[in-house]
C-alpha cells in the first residue's frame, strides 16, 4: 500500500481537449514590434487616422514603461520582438460576406469547441462572435439583434461602421497609460467585440464571444468595448481556448464596460486557455485589464471561471462613479499543474451609497499557485459606501499554494467594509470518508470543489453554469491519485 | 461472512496489530472492547482500507474474497461500512446530494436501478422517521457544524441507507445521550438480519444492553487476548482489564 501523502500529490496529466491545431493557411506578420507593425495593423483594418494616432501614442508610452513585477507570479521576461502581432486566416478574394462563405475548416474548429456557428446548429438564445487569432470570423444573429437596435460586431467593423461611438468611449475606462499591458494592447489590438445597447433596451439574447488562439508565436490582443445606454440591460459571456504548444503565448486583452444611468451589464468569463504541462512548459500568459464604469444607479457584475492559462494576471474592476451604483465580482480561479494566478478585483467607490460585493474562490492543486489580490477604495465623497468581501482558498495536496492580498483604502468615515477569508484543504480523511461510502476519489474531489464554488456558479447564466462545472471537473482530472 | 487470519499491520514502523484472528458469521453481532490505544480503531481502518498502513502479514476474507487488495470504495461497494469514531466534516457538500451519490454508487454495483431525487427523498425520509431524526439534517452540509451526537446519528442514517453486509461501528455510542444511544441501537437492530453481521467497538457495557452481542472480544496491544459471550462485558465493567492483562 502506498502512503497517504503520495496519493493526494500524485498528479496525472489531464488531457486538454481543446489542444488541437487547425491546419489553415494564415497570413501572419513577421515577429517584431515597432511603429511599422502598428501602421500595418491599422492599414489592414482600414482604420481612420485618429485611431492610428491613438495607437502610436500608446506605443510611445509603452516604450517608456516597465514590465510590472508586483504580481505574485514568476516567469522569464517576455521578448516582445519574438511575437507576431497579426495573424489571420488567409482570405480568398474579398473575404467572406456572411457565415456561409467562411472557410469550412474554421466552422469545423468552432464546432469541435462546442460553439457551432452555422444556421442549423446555432446555440439557442445566444449570439456568438467568433474571434480566430487576430480576426473575427463571423457573428451570429446579427439581424435579429439589429431589429432591437443592438449592435454586436467585431470591434474592427465597429470602427468602420460606428466610428463616433467607438471614438467616444474607447480608452475612457482603461486609458492606454493605465498599465504596461494595457498600453501594449492599445498599440497593437487586433480584434474583439463591440456591443452597444440603446437606451431603455433589454438585449433580447445572451451575447458571447469565443476567442481562439491558433497560430504559433502570435499574441492575441483583443479589445472589447461594451456600452449600455441609460436603463438598458445586457448579459455577455466570453470563452477562450488555445492549442497545446510548448512555447508560451501572450494574450493581453483590454475590456471596457460603460454602464450609463440605471443600466446593467453582466459580464461572465469562462477562461480555458491552454494551461501548459506539469513542468510549466507552454501555456498562455493571460495578462488582462478589465474595468467597468457605473453611472448613477447602474450595476456591473463580473463573474469569472478561470481554469486555464499558465499565468493569469487580471483584476476585473468597477468604478462606482454614480450614486447608488453597484459593483460585483464573483470569481473561481483554479490552478493545477504548474499554473500561477494572481487575480482579484478593484472596487472604487466614488459616488454616495455605492455598494460592492466580492466573492472569490481560489482552488490550488498540483504545484499551482493562486493569489487573490483585491482593492476596496472608498473616496472622500462616497458616504455610506458598503463593501463585503469573502475570499476562500481551497488546497488540494501539499505542493500548491494560496495567498491573499487584500487592500483597503477608506477616506470616508461612514464607509462599511467587511472582509472575510478562509483557507481549507481537502484532507485525506475527507477523501477516505467519501471512499468509505462508495465514492471514487475523483468524484469526491469534484463534489467538494463544486460545493466550494456554489456561490459563484449561481451567478453564471444557466446555459453556462453546467458547462463551467464540467470544465472544473475536467481541469481537476488526475488531481488526486 | 468475515474471516480475519493472523492480521498484522504497522504504521510508521510501529507494529499496531500483532496477529488478529476473528471469524464472524452471518447473523452475528460481535463486540470488541479493550483499553485506549489497543488497536481497535486501527483494526476498523484496516478493514475499511484506509491508506497509510503497512499490512505485514495475514489475510481478510469477506464472503470468501480477499479484500486487502481492494480500494476503500470497492470494499464499501462490496458491503463494508464503517461508522467512524470521528465522523469527518465536508463543508459545502449537501448531505442529501452526498448520501444519494453514495447510495447510487452502491446500488449500481449491486446491479440495482439508481434512485432519482424523488425516490431517494422518499426513502430517506422514511428511514429518518424510523430513526427519529429531524429532516433538517438533509439540508446541511455533511457533518459540518453537527454536534458530536448528531454526527454519530448521521453515521447510523448512512448505515441504514447503505444497507451493508458488514457494519463496523467504532465507538458510535461515545458521547451520546440516552435518546441518541437508543437511536443508534435501534438502527443496528433494524439492520440486523440473517445475511449480515455487525462489529461493535465500545468501551461501555450499557450499549450492549441494547445491542446484544453474540460474542465479546478483548483487544489488547494488537491481539485478541480473550473472547467470550455477553457476560464477558459485564465482567469487564466490574473488574476492568487488569486481570486479563496479567494472564496474557
Ligand atoms: N498515524 C499513527 N502514527 C503513529 N501511531 C499511531 C498512528 N495511528 C495510531 N497510532 C497508534 O496506534 C495505537 C492504536 O491506536 P487506535 O486508534 O487503534 O486505538 P484504539 O484502540 O482505537 O483506542 P481508543 O479506545 O482510544 O479509541 C495507539 O498507540 C496510537 O497512538
Ligand atoms: Mg479508537
Amino acid at each position: 500500500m502506498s502512503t497517504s501523502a503520495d496519493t493526494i500529490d500524485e498528479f496525472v496529466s489531464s488531457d486538454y481537449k481543446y489542444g488541437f491545431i487547425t491546419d489553415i493557411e494564415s497570413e501572419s506578420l513577421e515577429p517584431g514590434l515597432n511603429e511599422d507593425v502598428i501602421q500595418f495593423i491599422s492599414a489592414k483594418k482600414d482604420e481612420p487616422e485618429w485611431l492610428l494616432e491613438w495607437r502610436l501614442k500608446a506605443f510611445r508610452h509603452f516604450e517608456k514603461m516597465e514590465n510590472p513585477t508586483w504580481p505574485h507570479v514568476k516567469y522569464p521576461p517576455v521578448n516582445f520582438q519574438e511575437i507576431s502581432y497579426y495573424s489571420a486566416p488567409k482570405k480568398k478574394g474579398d473575404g467572406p460576406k456572411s457565415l456561409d462563405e467562411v472557410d469550412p475548416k474554421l466552422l469545423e474548429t468552432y464546432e469541435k469547441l462546442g460553439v457551432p456557428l452555422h444556421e442549423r446548429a446555432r446555440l439557442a438564445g445566444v449570439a456568438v462572435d467568433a474571434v480566430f487569432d487576430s480576426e473575427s470570423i463571423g457573428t451570429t444573429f446579427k439581424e435579429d439583434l439589429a431589429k432591437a437596435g443592438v449592435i454586436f460586431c467585431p470591434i474592427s467593423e465597429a470602427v468602420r461602421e460606428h466610428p463616433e461611438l467607438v471614438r467616444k468611449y474607447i480608452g475612457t475606462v482603461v486609458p492606454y497609460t493605465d498599465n504596461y499591458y494595457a498600453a501594449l494592447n492599445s498599440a497593437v489590438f487586433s480584434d474583439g467585440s463591440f456591443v452597444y445597447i440603446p437606451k431603455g433596451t433589454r438585449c433580447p439574447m445572451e451575447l458571447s464571444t469565443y476567442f481562439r488562439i491558433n497560430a504559433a508565436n502570435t499574441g492575441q490582443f483583443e479589445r472589447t468595448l461594451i456600452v449600455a445606454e441609460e436603463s438598458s440591460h445586457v448579459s455577455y459571456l466570453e470563452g477562450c481556448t488555445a492549442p497545446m504548444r510548448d512555447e508560451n503565448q501572450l494574450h493581453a486583452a483590454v475590456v471596457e464596460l460603460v454602464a450609463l444611468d440605471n443600466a446593467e451589464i453582466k459580464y461572465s468569463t469562462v477562461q480555458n486557455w491552454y494551461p501548459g504541462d506539469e513542468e510549466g512548459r507552454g501555456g498562455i500568459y493571460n495578462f488582462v485589464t478589465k474595468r467597468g464604469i457605473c453611472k448613477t444607479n447602474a450595476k456591473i457584475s463580473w463573474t469569472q471561471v478561470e481554469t486555464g492559462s499558465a499565468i493569469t494576471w487580471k483584476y476585473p474592476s468597477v468604478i462606482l462613479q454614480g450614486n447608488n451604483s453597484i459593483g460585483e465580482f464573483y470569481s473561481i480561479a483554479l490552478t493545477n499543474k504548474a499554473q500561477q494566478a494572481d487575480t482579484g478585483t478593484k472596487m472604487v467607490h466614488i459616488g454616495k451609497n455605492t455598494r460592492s460585493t466580492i466573492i472569490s474562490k481560489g482552488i490550488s492543486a498540483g504545484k499551482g499557485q493562486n493569489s487573490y489580490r483585491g482593492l476596496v477604495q472608498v473616496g472622500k465623497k462616497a458616504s455610506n459606501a458598503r463593501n463585503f468581501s469573502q475570499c476562500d482558498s481551497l488546497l488540494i495536496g501539499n505542493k500548491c499554494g494560496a495567498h491573499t492580498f487584500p487592500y483597503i483604502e477608506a477616506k470616508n468615515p461612514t464607509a462599511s467594509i467587511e472582509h472575510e477569508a478562509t483557507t481549507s484543504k481537502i484532507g485525506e480523511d475527507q477523501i477516505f470518508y467519501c471512499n468509505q461510502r462508495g465514492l471514487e476519489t475523483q468524484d469526491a474531489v469534484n463534489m467538494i470543489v463544486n460545493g466550494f464554488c456554489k456561490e459563484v456558479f449561481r451567478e453564471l447564466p444557466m446555459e453556462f453554469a453546467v458547462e463551467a462545472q464540467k470544465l472544473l471537473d475536467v481541469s481537476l482530472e488526475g488531481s488526486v491519485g | 461472512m468475515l474471516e480475519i487470519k493472523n492480521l498484522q499491520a504497522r504504521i510508521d514502523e510501529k507494529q499496531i496489530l500483532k496477529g488478529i484472528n476473528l471469524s464472524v458469521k452471518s447473523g452475528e453481532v460481535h463486540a470488541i472492547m479493550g483499553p485506549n490505544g489497543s488497536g481497535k480503531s486501527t483494526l476498523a481502518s484496516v478493514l475499511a482500507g484506509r491508506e497509510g498502513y503497512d499490512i505485514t502479514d495475514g489475510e481478510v476474507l469477506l464472503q470468501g474474497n480477499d479484500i486487502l487488495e481492494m480500494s476503500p470504495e470497492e470494499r464499501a461497494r462490496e458491503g463494508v461500512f464503517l461508522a467512524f469514531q470521528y465522523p469527518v466534516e465536508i463543508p459545502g457538500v449537501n448531505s442529501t446530494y452526498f448520501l444519494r451519490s453514495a447510495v447510487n454508487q452502491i446500488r449500481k454495483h449491486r446491479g440495482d436501478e439508481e434512485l432519482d431525487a424523488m425516490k431517494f427523498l422518499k426513502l430517506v425520509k422514511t428511514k429518518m422517521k424510523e430513526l427519529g431524526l429531524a429532516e433538517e439534517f438533509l439540508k446541511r452540509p455533511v457533518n459540518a457544524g453537527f454536534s458530536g451526537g448528531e454526527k454519530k446519528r448521521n453515521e447510523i442514517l448512512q448505515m441504514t441507507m447503505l444497507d451493508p453486509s458488514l457494519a463496523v461501528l467504532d465507538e458510535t455510542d461515545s458521547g451520546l445521550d440516552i435518546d441518541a444511544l437508543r437511536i443508534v441501537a435501534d438502527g443496528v437492530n433494524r439492520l440486523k438480519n440473517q445475511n449480515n453481521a455487525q462489529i461493535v467497538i465500545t468501551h461501555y457495557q450499557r450499549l450492549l444492553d441494547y445491542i446484544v452481542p453474540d460474542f465479546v472480544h478483548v483487544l489488547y496491544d494488537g491481539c485478541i487476548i480473550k473472547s467470550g459471550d455477553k457476560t464477558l462485558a459485564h465482567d469487564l465493567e466490574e473488574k476492568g482489564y487488569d486481570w486479563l492483562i496479567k494472564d496474557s
Side-chain angles (χ1 to χ4, degrees):
Chain A
M1 269 190 198
S2 56
T3 63
S4 42
D6 50 48
T7 35
I8 213 155
D9 287 333
E10 197 175 288
F11 275 79
V12 193
S13 143
S14 70
D15 283 339
Y16 179 76
K17 73 172 181 183
Y18 308 102
F20 63 89
I21 297 167
T22 305
D23 176 22
I24 194 154
E25 219 185 321
S26 44
E27 184 183 13
S28 299
L29 201 57
E30 285 295 308
L33 180 60
N34 51 53
E35 294 200 2
D36 291 345
V37 165
I38 293 162
Q39 303 257 12
F40 173 90
I41 296 170
S42 189
K44 195 84 199 160
K45 295 185 179 284
D46 243 340
E47 285 177 356
E49 193 57 30
W50 63 266
L51 190 52
L52 174 62
E53 280 305 310
W54 189 71
R55 285 177 181 273
L56 291 171
K57 271 195 252 168
F59 179 62
R60 286 165 202 152
H61 190 78
F62 170 77
E63 287 192 303
K64 284 186 256 158
M65 296 175 93
E66 302 236 355
N67 191 36
T69 51
W70 50 266
H72 191 77
V73 296
K74 281 193 209 114
Y75 58 96
V78 177
N79 185 342
F80 293 100
Q81 298 306 333
E82 282 175 0
I83 297 172
S84 161
Y85 290 83
Y86 184 86
S87 172
K90 212 169 202 168
K91 286 174 195 158
K92 298 180 183 76
D94 274 351
K97 290 195 179 51
S98 76
L99 278 166
D100 305 334
E101 292 171 32
V102 170
D103 189 323
K105 265 192 199 158
L106 286 174
L107 294 179
E108 213 176 279
T109 301
Y110 282 87
E111 199 142 324
K112 252 166 114 175
L113 296 169
V115 192
L117 300 175
H118 57 77
E119 288 295 339
R120 278 168 294 126
R122 284 177 186 177
L123 299 170
V126 183
V128 179
D129 182 20
V131 178
F132 192 87
D133 291 331
S134 308
E135 289 272 352
S136 165
I137 61 158
T139 310
T140 65
F141 291 107
K142 257 173 125 164
E143 294 75 24
D144 299 80
L145 290 168
K147 275 185 211 138
V150 171
I151 303 169
F152 179 39
C153 67
I155 198 157
S156 49
E157 185 181 317
V159 167
R160 292 190 299 268
E161 314 271 320
H162 313 281
E164 67 303 335
L165 281 175
V166 177
R167 194 171 185 177
K168 183 168 174 191
Y169 292 106
I170 198 166
T172 58
V173 191
V174 180
Y176 63 74
T177 49
D178 192 79
N179 70 70
Y180 193 63
Y181 289 99
L184 177 65
N185 174 285
S186 303
V188 301
F189 77 91
S190 38
D191 226 330
S193 300
F194 175 75
V195 175
Y196 177 80
I197 315 288
K199 192 168 168 177
T201 304
R202 201 180 166 89
C203 185
M205 58 182 88
E206 297 275 345
L207 303 183
S208 93
T209 303
Y210 199 97
F211 294 100
R212 173 75 178 168
I213 296 180
N214 189 63
N217 305 319
T218 50
Q220 194 177 50
F221 304 92
E222 90 261 4
R223 189 149 189 127
T224 293
L225 173 60
I226 299 181
V227 179
E229 286 278 7
E230 283 174 35
S231 305
S232 69
H233 178 285
V234 63
S235 170
Y236 175 94
L237 183 122
E238 61 173 351
C240 337
T241 57
M244 289 163 73
R245 296 187 191 277
D246 285 344
E247 306 81 35
N248 296 104
Q249 280 178 279
L250 180 62
H251 170 257
V254 170
V255 175
E256 295 178 283
L257 309 184
V258 180
L260 299 177
D261 293 358
N262 301 305
E264 181 175 343
I265 302 176
K266 186 171 173 57
Y267 192 107
S268 314
T269 303
V270 175
Q271 184 265 109
N272 187 26
W273 296 120
Y274 176 55
D277 68 9
E278 282 78 4
E279 311 306 322
R281 259 189 311 258
I284 302 291
Y285 289 166
N286 190 34
F287 301 155
V288 173
T289 308
K290 288 181 165 168
R291 193 175 304 149
I293 187 161
C294 281
K295 302 290 179 171
T296 306
N297 293 325
K299 176 176 172 183
I300 289 179
S301 179
W302 298 101
T303 305
Q304 58 172 23
V305 177
E306 303 276 322
T307 59
S309 297
I311 300 177
T312 295
W313 181 98
K314 81 181 248 205
Y315 315 91
S317 305
V318 185
I319 299 169
L320 298 160
Q321 191 184 57
N323 294 344
N324 311 314
S325 57
I326 298 174
E328 293 175 340
F329 174 73
Y330 300 96
S331 168
I332 296 171
L334 171 94
T335 52
N336 194 356
K337 301 177 180 172
Q339 287 174 274
Q340 307 173 65
D342 189 306
T343 182
T345 185
K346 273 193 269 186
M347 293 292 175
V348 182
H349 294 253
I350 298 170
K352 295 185 177 55
N353 303 317
T354 45
R355 277 186 285 147
S356 63
T357 304
I358 299 171
I359 307 282
S360 158
K361 305 281 180 175
I363 303 150
S364 319
K367 289 183 273 177
Q369 291 293 331
N370 212 321
S371 302
Y372 167 80
R373 188 183 301 277
L375 168 66
V376 177
Q377 203 174 46
V378 178
K380 277 203 191 82
K381 293 180 185 145
S383 48
N384 297 315
R386 273 189 287 152
N387 162 267
F388 173 76
S389 305
Q390 165 103 39
C391 304
D392 299 321
S393 308
L394 184 68
L395 300 167
I396 306 174
N398 297 322
K399 293 182 189 127
C400 54
H403 319 270
T404 27
F405 305 98
Y407 306 91
I408 295 170
E409 292 169 14
K411 295 203 179 101
N412 186 302
T414 61
S416 140
I417 298 171
E418 275 179 79
H419 179 91
E420 288 174 14
T422 66
T423 301
S424 53
K425 192 174 165 181
I426 298 190
E428 283 297 325
D429 51 348
Q430 289 176 322
I431 299 293
F432 177 62
Y433 190 77
C434 295
N435 290 156
Q436 213 303 303
R437 300 308 185 236
L439 304 171
E440 302 277 346
T441 300
Q442 195 66 56
D443 292 340
V445 169
N446 292 347
M447 199 183 258
I448 295 170
V449 169
N450 281 314
F452 178 74
C453 298
K454 255 195 312 246
E455 288 153 279
V456 177
F457 282 138
R458 245 195 329 247
E459 297 301 323
L460 283 174
M462 264 289 270
E463 300 87 324
F464 301 106
V466 180
E467 207 55 32
Q469 197 159 337
K470 270 195 244 155
L471 177 61
L472 213 56
D473 289 354
V474 169
S475 307
L476 278 167
E477 242 161 58
S479 65
V480 278
Chain B
M1 165 72 55
L2 178 73
E3 219 39 80
I4 303 177
K5 293 180 196 157
N6 187 32
L7 182 62
Q8 302 190 20
R10 58 166 68 187
I11 187 160
D12 297 339
E13 305 298 305
K14 186 178 167 198
Q15 194 74 34
I16 304 198
L17 301 183
K18 301 179 177 170
I20 305 251
N21 291 291
L22 183 65
S23 171
V24 178
K25 296 199 178 60
S26 300
E28 292 179 351
V29 177
H30 289 238
I32 295 181
M33 303 183 80
N36 293 135
S38 56
K40 303 182 296 297
S41 294
T42 303
L43 175 61
S45 296
V46 168
L47 289 179
R50 188 193 277 271
E51 308 247 345
Y53 297 94
D54 224 346
I55 311 295
T56 48
D57 206 354
E59 57 179 0
V60 177
L61 304 176
L62 182 75
Q63 271 143 348
N65 300 317
D66 182 0
I67 60 167
L68 291 180
E69 290 305 312
M70 296 180 190
S71 68
E73 58 271 27
E74 282 171 318
R75 300 182 199 198
R77 292 169 195 173
E78 287 292 326
V80 177
F81 180 90
L82 172 61
F84 286 64
Q85 182 172 1
Y86 305 107
V88 180
E89 301 198 7
I90 313 179
V93 176
N94 173 272
S95 288
T96 312
Y97 183 72
F98 175 80
L99 192 49
R100 183 158 77 94
S101 309
V103 166
N104 280 337
Q105 281 300 337
I106 284 170
R107 289 182 71 96
K108 203 159 79 185
H109 182 75
R110 290 180 189 160
D112 292 339
E113 184 201 352
E114 293 182 40
L115 297 179
D116 63 29
M118 293 298 285
K119 281 190 187 140
F120 172 80
L121 223 52
K122 217 174 132 194
L123 184 66
V124 75
K125 284 184 176 169
T126 325
K127 298 284 185 194
M128 289 180 93
K129 204 172 259 160
E130 283 175 15
L131 290 170
L133 289 172
E135 278 180 22
E136 175 248 355
F137 269 98
L138 291 175
K139 298 200 185 94
R140 293 168 59 181
V142 181
N143 292 325
F146 285 25
S147 77
E150 285 169 343
K151 285 180 183 166
K152 298 293 178 81
R153 278 190 268 179
N154 194 26
E155 295 290 285
I156 296 303
L157 172 66
Q158 294 183 27
M159 179 185 79
T160 306
M161 291 298 296
L162 297 176
D163 190 20
S165 46
L166 176 73
V168 181
L169 289 85
D170 191 359
E171 292 197 32
T172 307
D173 57 328
S174 297
L176 292 187
D177 61 36
I178 292 293
D179 289 342
L181 190 67
R182 284 214 189 91
I183 288 176
V184 168
D186 219 42
V188 175
N189 291 331
R190 274 173 198 278
L191 178 72
K192 195 178 161 186
N193 64 37
Q194 280 315 303
N195 301 316
N196 61 27
Q198 291 84 38
I199 295 175
V200 181
I201 296 170
T202 182
H203 285 294
Y204 306 106
Q205 140 67 26
R206 67 173 187 173
L207 177 69
L208 305 179
D209 286 339
Y210 297 101
I211 304 171
V212 182
D214 300 290
F215 298 94
V216 175
H217 310 277
V218 177
L219 189 63
Y220 174 74
D221 192 22
C223 292
I224 291 179
I225 55 166
K226 177 97 184 161
S227 296
D229 62 11
K230 62 183 179 195
T231 58
L232 179 56
H234 285 281
D235 294 345
L236 292 172
E237 184 93 343
E238 228 168 86
K239 302 195 259 182
Y241 292 107
D242 277 358
W243 60 285
L244 283 174
I245 293 167
K246 279 188 205 115
D247 282 3
S248 70

